[in-house]
Amino acid sequence: MKLKFLLTVVTIVVLILLGIVLYRALAPAEPLDYTVGPLTLRDISNTEQLKVFTARKEVLVSQHRINSGLIMDSEDKIYVIYPATLQFGFDLSKCDSTNVAVSGDSVTVKLPPVSILNRDGHAVDEASKRTAIESGQWSAQEMTDLRQRAEALMVRNCEYDSCYARAEQLGRQMVQSMLQSMGYSYVDVDIARRSDYGLCLVDRRFRNQHPYRWYTKDKMSYLAFNIDQPKREARLFFTPGNITERELLALGDYFSIIFAQTPRDVGIVKRGDTVYVMFHNDYLTAGTKEADKYKAVALRKDMSKLRKVVARLIFKGKKVAVMEVDKGGHLICQYPDGK
């Protein structure tokens, strides 16, 4: 298996370098109205992948549904363990002749970003899932949501487990070793930065160590934090389908830490190019004297750090509006944007 893998990688690199050498050797002195080199190299690498290593993981995901009753509420719940095989490596179909530069006995190679090559629904082994607890009836769409959440959790965990960093290190060493064995004395391997970095990993110190509890009640969706506060848990309110699982996990990791001492419920709404962050205050009512006094003090708070995390790392390119609302959802105050 290892021999076959190495032969495949060597073949890819040889074909790319051979294409460059042949193009340079056969290129006419006078320029023509077409270019052979980049197209040929692109065709060679269209379906090629450089697999570095495989990680096997399991993740437990759950969903709770609270049903309102005349006397008391009832709860449906399901816990599912999903296994996954994650293949880390480089998608060489994104390469062309500009990714390899040869000068004498020196060669520079720029690899695309490390990625999970079998992602987007192919990493999770649906057939091997194990249901630990189940009560109530769960639709096909709800089960699909669970599987997507499992994949998002695995991608997030791979960030914390340094799988991406390890793949970069191994990929760089592998390509350097192969090219040096082909006679190149100086080999420089550069790896492009992943554009999705930070979406599922806000910061290592913000990682939530406790399990999340996902549930729905009265058509509202919640992500609850277990932050060692037995009297009250912090929760994210969100609209299903409006925010991705990875964005929710990043928000959960961030808010679960910054609200560890003073739990807060936070509503998240994404509309157009703006994300609305609404801190729920259960002790005040908008328009009262107490709310006005609170507003005077609250508006002096600096929300720039929170805006930076939410706008730049989690929701890239979005504007962020931060506000305080009462338990009825009425506006108490909106923090200035700091501009």
Side-chain angles (χ1 to χ4, degrees), residues 146-194:
L146 279 176
R147 181 185 57 74
Q148 292 175 345
R149 187 179 305 153
E151 183 168 314
L153 276 166
M154 289 179 187
V155 172
R156 162 189 176 270
N157 292 343
C158 286
E159 295 277 10
Y160 292 119
D161 295 343
S162 301
C163 287
Y164 285 98
R166 177 170 173 77
E168 288 186 357
Q169 179 185 20
L170 292 176
R172 182 177 285 107
Q173 292 174 351
M174 183 183 299
V175 174
Q176 284 177 337
S177 177
M178 287 188 299
L179 292 176
Q180 287 172 351
S181 68
M182 295 169 62
Y184 291 97
S185 302
Y186 305 97
V187 179
D188 182 23
V189 180
D190 186 27
I191 299 175
R193 182 179 175 86
R194 289 181 292 120

Side-chain angles (χ1 to χ4, degrees), residues 62-268:
S62 66
Q63 180 68 39
H64 300 251
R65 186 170 53 214
I66 299 176
N67 308 307
S68 300
L70 293 175
I71 301 176
M72 61 182 299
D73 295 343
S74 62
E75 182 179 13
D76 298 331
K77 54 189 175 182
I78 183 170
Y79 292 80
V80 183
I81 300 172
Y82 285 95
T85 301
L86 306 167
Q87 297 174 352
F88 287 85
F90 305 89
D91 182 4
L92 297 183
S93 66
K94 299 177 181 178
C95 297
D96 56 27
S97 64
T98 62
N99 290 78
V100 181
V102 180
S103 177
D105 61 348
S106 301
V107 59
T108 300
V109 179
K110 184 171 184 178
L111 295 175
V114 171
S115 62
I116 300 177
L117 300 174
N118 61 332
R119 199 165 140 191
D120 298 329
H122 303 291
V124 173
D125 187 357
E126 178 77 20
S128 300
K129 70 177 185 293
R130 306 190 302 278
T131 302
I133 300 174
E134 181 177 6
S135 61
Q137 299 294 321
W138 301 91
S139 67
Q141 182 58 52
E142 288 171 319
M143 295 304 297
T144 298
D145 293 342
L146 279 176
R147 181 185 57 74
Q148 292 175 345
R149 187 179 305 153
E151 183 168 314
L153 276 166
M154 289 179 187
V155 172
R156 162 189 176 270
N157 292 343
C158 286
E159 295 277 10
Y160 292 119
D161 295 343
S162 301
C163 287
Y164 285 98
R166 177 170 173 77
E168 288 186 357
Q169 179 185 20
L170 292 176
R172 182 177 285 107
Q173 292 174 351
M174 183 183 299
V175 174
Q176 284 177 337
S177 177
M178 287 188 299
L179 292 176
Q180 287 172 351
S181 68
M182 295 169 62
Y184 291 97
S185 302
Y186 305 97
V187 179
D188 182 23
V189 180
D190 186 27
I191 299 175
R193 182 179 175 86
R194 289 181 292 120
S195 61
D196 62 348
Y197 183 81
L199 191 58
C200 54
L201 172 64
V202 176
D203 193 295
R204 192 172 296 274
R205 68 180 182 275
F206 288 133
R207 183 184 186 184
N208 180 26
Q209 301 291 339
H210 302 283
Y212 292 116
R213 190 162 70 95
W214 308 72
Y215 66 94
T216 56
K217 181 179 181 181
D218 299 330
K219 298 182 180 180
M220 180 66 72
S221 295
Y222 302 88
L223 173 61
F225 314 136
N226 179 1
I227 53 177
D228 298 328
Q229 293 285 342
K231 294 183 179 180
R232 183 167 176 245
E233 61 184 3
R235 300 175 296 179
L236 272 178
F237 297 75
F238 61 96
T239 304
N242 186 251
I243 301 175
T244 67
E245 303 285 358
R246 294 177 67 210
E247 290 167 343
L248 285 169
L249 288 170
L251 287 167
D253 282 359
Y254 180 56
F255 286 134
S256 65
I257 300 302
I258 66 173
F259 294 144
Q261 301 301 320
T262 56
R264 299 289 301 273
D265 287 345
V266 186
I268 301 293

